[in-house]
Amino acid sequence: MSSAPLPLSTWARNISPSPTLAVDAKAKALQAAGEDVCSFAAGEPDFDTPEHIKEACIAALKSGKTKYAPTPGIEPLRQAVAERYVAEYGLKAAAAQVIVSPGGKFNCYLGILATCSPGDEVIIPAPFWVSYPEMVKLAGATPKFVLCDDRTGFKLTPAQLAAAITPKTKLLVLNSPSNPTGAVYTREELAALVDVAVKHNLYLLSDEMYEHLIYDGAKPTCVATLSPEAEARTITVAGFSKTYAMTGWRIGTTLAPLPIAKAISELQSQMSSNVTTFAQYGALAALKEKEKTKASLATMMTAFDRRRKNLHAELNRIPGVNCLLAQGAFYLFPNISSFGLKDTEFCSRLLETEKVAAVPGSAFGAEGYLRLSYATSDEIIAKGVSRMAKFCASLRK
Ligand SMILES: Cc1ncc(COP(=O)(O)O)c(C=O)c1O
């Protein structure tokens, strides 16, 4: 009998593991080994889930909410999600259009699976969140990247979009506020992109995961509200992870036109079934106990905003670093191309010599940048950025 290992599937062989999780894991391993690491790698709030949300989950668990629930989510949660779209954006959303999934990541994947077939093309503006291309490939479709650098504020323009569309294009992915750049599109900018998408009969996956993490009085745009045509073709993904510091709970939401919502629910019924039943009651409390939730979010946003401004100012003080002031999420995306090093090399040397963890822009499809998360303490930010300044100075010698 041959002892050669059995070959894994093409899916398993072709998938790239998440580079953001890899850098975060490396930083944590160094910390565990006793190194004094300043990590800008985290993709999650450094705050705990608000108490009232935890209490509601514990109460649900104690009262026996431990059985299977309907695949698309418990009815009161679907209803509350629909109501928030009505209240926040004036969208005529119904509970039947809402699917609660195990994390926004899975919502995105199911949205892609429900709309894309092998041979289809999906336009992904770069810099992009690392999971979109892999999800598209897992659906058998082909990701098509359009590079949007800091000269356009990391935003796709209608002309770039139009030029990227082919007869095979099926879906456009939008993500505002963006991970990794923090860029926030204006309503007008999104409307112009949606016009092009409608003209070419594309589906839209609008990942609005960071909709509530927004600064300087900027307003989030719910893409589905842009026009009836937009509403009829948009899969809106959002969730609890970032806004309510619930990353470990694994609860995300999709709002989609009924036929798409139904398809997503059927896919989910065979792939994961419902999100942990008692956890959904915690999510329900996040939406129902509005005043408490608002207060927790305000505390978190005050800290994020202060750190955003400090980090931005300190980065731009480093000769050779150029950083836009992002209006959303908890990331900055400085340009480090002036140092003439590949960003992967820059990041590995920064971690090795100064014990500062950052994710290279190339992981997000944009070479020459770093993604820095400021979802960490003021002290770490101050210490980390001064180490980075020292590192950058050493490169200029
Ligand atoms: C843009 C974007 N979309 C979706 C997600 C997925 O969030 P979740 O943790 O709920 O799966 C993330 C998480 O990092 C994200 O950054």
Side-chain angles (χ1 to χ4, degrees), residues 43 102-108 129 132 175 177-179 207 209-210 237-242 247 250-252 331 371:
K105 191 175 268 189
F106 203 54
N107 291 92
C108 291
W129 178 49
Y132 303 135
N175 173 217
S178 151
N179 175 6
D207 180 347
M209 186 56 66
Y210 294 90
V237 171
F240 295 83
S241 298
K242 318 287 177 173
T247 45
R250 313 309 303 133
I251 313 179
Y331 308 105
R371 189 194 74 171

Side-chain angles (χ1 to χ4, degrees), residues 150 315-316 318 320-324 333-336 369:
D150 47 5
L315 285 171
N316 280 325
I318 303 176
V321 174
N322 222 316
C323 186
L324 297 181
F333 205 68
N335 185 328
I336 46 104
Y369 299 86

Side-chain angles (χ1 to χ4, degrees), residues 193-205:
L193 292 173
V194 166
D195 272 356
V196 178
V198 169
K199 210 173 286 162
H200 291 85
N201 208 22
L202 309 184
Y203 280 115
L204 294 159
L205 177 72

Side-chain angles (χ1 to χ4, degrees), residues 145-162:
F145 306 113
V146 183
L147 183 61
C148 314
D149 61 22
D150 47 5
R151 288 170 301 180
T152 57
F154 303 114
K155 295 181 197 177
L156 180 69
T157 64
Q160 281 178 307
L161 173 59

